[in-house]
């Protein structure tokens, strides 16, 4: 249901609580605060929330930015534009939205992320955290690599940012870590191409697809604290959810016959092992390749709890070159079933969770 229809329905149901006869404009502006707050909490998308706040002063005051409703992430089109514009795709509305953001000129914005995305030029000589909605930018120190991408991004410009990068002619990857404002990156160690990596609770976790073991690396010293034995099946994603580290093993093909297995890393001291779990409760996972994030399913998105949304791609060889097509699939953990979600054609999308 569109935002205007939703609000109109709520207004109609709540109008009887107002005393006296009022014209339509007065009814909308004098809705009781409890009714306004109820509506704002159930809006399915940040765009709706912004429009709600813009109606009048009363509506604005009853929908503070600190009280953003739960919502689906957007898909951010990653490539910088010569026209200084960014495109987002809202799953809630099934529509593209374009914003004029001059600061994005010439930069590539990468996720998946919450609030801040990782902004870089074609090398790694200009790096920053960037909020596409507010244009807030936190510069990061350059690093002598030909390419790099984020492993995790900061939520408030005080947390660590971790990256993986390398040289064009090498299959060795470099792990780096810093905070916004630092003068240089802390280079922790090297890893082979194709490894899954994540920063979690002041440790680096590096999963090797060849050995299927996970190295737990202390950030300060770069020392391998322990090596976790392989889980029963090969992992293709590491993600943090509610303070826990999860390993995801999914059949990422377009058909619905595959299965997803989820493992939680349990540690007692240096003894760690992957333990299979059957549910993620009220959480939702949004994955993009070997990375992702978790959000709580509440309000208008409560029905999507205990689900995994996977953004994947495949290549088609054509006469004029190679074309990449992106697709989105939802996996219901309880029913163990896949559902393909229709996406329009887009270039290099990545998850972005809008926030103020």
């Amino acid at each position: 249901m569109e935002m205007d229809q939703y609000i109109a329905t709520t207004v109609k149901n709540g109008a009887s609580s107002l005393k006296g006869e009022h014209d339509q404009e007065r009814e909308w502006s004098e809705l009781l605060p409890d009714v306004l707050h109820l509506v704002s909490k159930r809006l399915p998308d940040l765009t709706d929330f912004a429009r709600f706040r813009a109606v009048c002063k009363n509506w604005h005051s009853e929908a503070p930015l600190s009280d953003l409703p739960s919502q689906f992430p957007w898909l951010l089109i990653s490539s910088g534009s010569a026209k200084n514009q960014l495109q987002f795709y809202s799953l809630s509305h099934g529509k593209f939205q374009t914003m004029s953001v001059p600061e994005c000129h010439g930069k590539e914005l990468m996720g998946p992320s919450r609030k801040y995305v990782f902004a870089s030029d074609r090398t790694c000589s200009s790096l920053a955290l960037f909020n596409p909605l507010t244009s807030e930018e936190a510069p990061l120190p350059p690093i002598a690599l030909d390419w790099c991408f984020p492993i995790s991004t900061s939520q408030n410009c005080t947390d660590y940012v971790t990256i993986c990068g390398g040289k064009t002619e090498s299959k060795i990857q470099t792990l780096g870590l810093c905070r916004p404002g630092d003068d240089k990156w802390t280079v922790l160690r090297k890893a082979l191409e194709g490894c899954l990596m994540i920063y979690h609770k002041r440790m680096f976790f590096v999963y090797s697809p060849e050995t299927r073991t996970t190295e737990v690396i202390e950030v300060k010293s770069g020392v391998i604290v322990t090596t976790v034995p392989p889980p029963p099946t090969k992992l293709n994603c590491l993600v943090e959810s509610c303070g826990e580290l999860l390993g995801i093993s999914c059949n990422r093909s377009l058909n619905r016959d595959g299965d997803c297995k989820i493992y939680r890393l349990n540690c007692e001291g240096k003894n760690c092992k992957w333990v299979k779990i059957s549910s993620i409760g009220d959480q939702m996972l949004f994955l993009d390749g070997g990375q992702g994030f978790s959000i709580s399913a509440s309000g208008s998105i409560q029905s999507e709890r205990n689900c995994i949304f996977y953004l994947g791609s495949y290549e088609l060889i054509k006469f004029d070159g190679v074309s990449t097509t992106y697709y989105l699939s939802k996996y219901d953990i309880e029913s163990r079933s896949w559902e393909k979600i229709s996406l329009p054609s887009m270039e290099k999308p990545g998850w972005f969770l809008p926030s103020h």
Side-chain angles (χ1 to χ4, degrees):
M1 181 182 294
E2 292 291 336
M3 188 270 293
D4 292 340
Q5 294 174 311
Y6 184 89
I7 293 176
T9 302
T10 306
V11 169
K12 182 178 178 181
N13 293 337
S16 60
S17 62
L18 298 175
K19 296 181 179 180
E21 294 295 330
H22 302 274
D23 56 29
Q24 186 68 17
E25 182 178 356
R26 191 173 180 83
E27 287 181 1
W28 282 56
S29 65
E30 292 190 3
L31 277 174
L32 296 176
D34 289 346
V35 176
L36 290 173
H37 187 70
L38 176 63
V39 173
S40 70
K41 289 288 288 182
R42 295 187 62 84
L43 297 175
D45 191 275
L46 183 62
T47 305
D48 295 339
F49 187 77
R51 291 172 179 167
F52 181 94
R53 285 167 50 86
V55 170
C56 64
K57 291 183 179 180
N58 286 347
W59 289 35
H60 186 278
S61 62
E62 293 303 326
L65 289 175
S66 59
D67 201 18
L68 287 171
S70 298
Q71 60 194 284
F72 274 103
W74 292 349
L75 289 175
L76 167 66
I77 311 306
S78 305
S79 296
S81 170
K83 297 181 179 179
N84 299 332
Q85 291 182 334
L86 287 181
Q87 264 197 328
F88 302 90
Y89 182 75
S90 168
L91 293 174
S92 300
H93 292 282
K95 295 180 182 178
F96 283 102
Q97 306 219 20
T98 302
M99 294 178 56
S100 177
V101 185
E103 294 85 355
C104 75
H105 177 69
K107 297 178 181 178
E108 185 173 15
L109 306 182
M110 293 177 281
S113 71
R114 303 168 185 256
K115 189 173 181 178
Y116 292 100
V117 295
F118 185 74
S120 71
D121 57 8
R122 295 199 177 275
T123 66
C124 301
S125 59
S126 176
L127 304 175
L129 292 178
F130 183 69
N131 186 325
L133 299 183
T134 65
S135 296
E136 181 184 358
E137 189 171 11
L140 301 172
I143 189 168
L145 298 171
D146 295 335
W147 57 268
C148 53
F149 64 86
I151 298 174
S152 64
T153 55
S154 177
Q155 303 305 306
N156 53 21
C157 281
T158 60
D159 298 333
Y160 279 112
V161 177
T162 54
I163 63 170
C164 174
K167 298 289 187 177
T168 304
E169 303 300 326
S170 174
K171 292 187 177 181
I172 301 298
Q173 297 177 335
T174 296
L175 307 181
L177 177 145
C178 79
R179 281 192 175 107
D182 287 353
D183 294 330
K184 63 181 181 178
W185 290 86
T186 299
V187 178
L188 298 180
R189 62 158 295 161
K190 310 293 184 179
L192 291 176
E193 186 178 13
C195 289
L196 301 177
M197 292 164 283
I198 193 170
Y199 173 73
H200 173 68
K201 293 185 176 179
R202 300 183 180 180
M203 296 284 183
F204 255 127
F205 295 79
V206 180
Y207 171 83
S208 168
E210 294 185 1
T211 64
R212 301 191 180 184
T213 58
T214 307
E215 293 180 341
V216 184
I217 305 167
E218 188 179 59
V219 168
K220 288 186 177 180
S221 64
V223 172
I224 299 175
V225 176
T226 187
T227 299
V228 186
T233 55
K234 184 178 180 179
L235 302 181
N236 44 44
C237 186
L238 299 177
V239 62
E240 185 178 29
S241 178
C242 296
E244 297 181 324
L245 182 58
L246 303 181
I248 312 298
S249 175
C250 278
N251 182 337
R252 298 179 292 175
S253 62
L254 287 173
N255 63 59
R256 304 179 187 181
D257 298 328
D259 192 12
C260 272
K261 296 179 176 62
I262 306 169
Y263 302 93
R264 181 180 61 231
L265 188 64
N266 286 0
C267 291
E268 295 181 3
K270 295 184 179 181
N271 296 320
C272 299
K273 62 180 180 180
W274 292 104
V275 177
K276 187 178 178 182
I277 60 176
S278 58
S279 171
I280 57 172
D282 287 332
Q283 295 300 298
M284 307 158 63
L285 301 183
F286 293 86
L287 310 183
D288 180 1
Q291 306 172 74
F293 55 80
S294 167
I295 65 174
S296 176
S298 60
S300 63
I301 59 175
Q302 172 65 30
S303 61
E304 305 293 350
R305 63 179 297 278
N306 204 28
C307 287
I308 299 173
F309 291 81
Y310 179 78
L311 182 64
S313 65
Y314 59 90
E315 294 183 343
L316 295 176
I317 300 177
K318 299 181 178 180
F319 291 108
D320 57 348
V322 178
S323 174
T324 303
T325 299
Y326 293 87
Y327 65 89
L328 179 61
S329 299
K330 182 179 80 170
Y331 181 77
D332 188 300
I333 298 173
E334 183 175 357
S335 65
R336 300 173 62 183
S337 61
W338 286 95
E339 175 188 347
K340 184 180 177 181
I341 300 175
S342 178
L343 283 183
S345 176
M346 58 182 72
E347 182 182 357
K348 298 179 69 175
W351 291 117
F352 168 64
L353 186 62
S355 179
H356 64 281

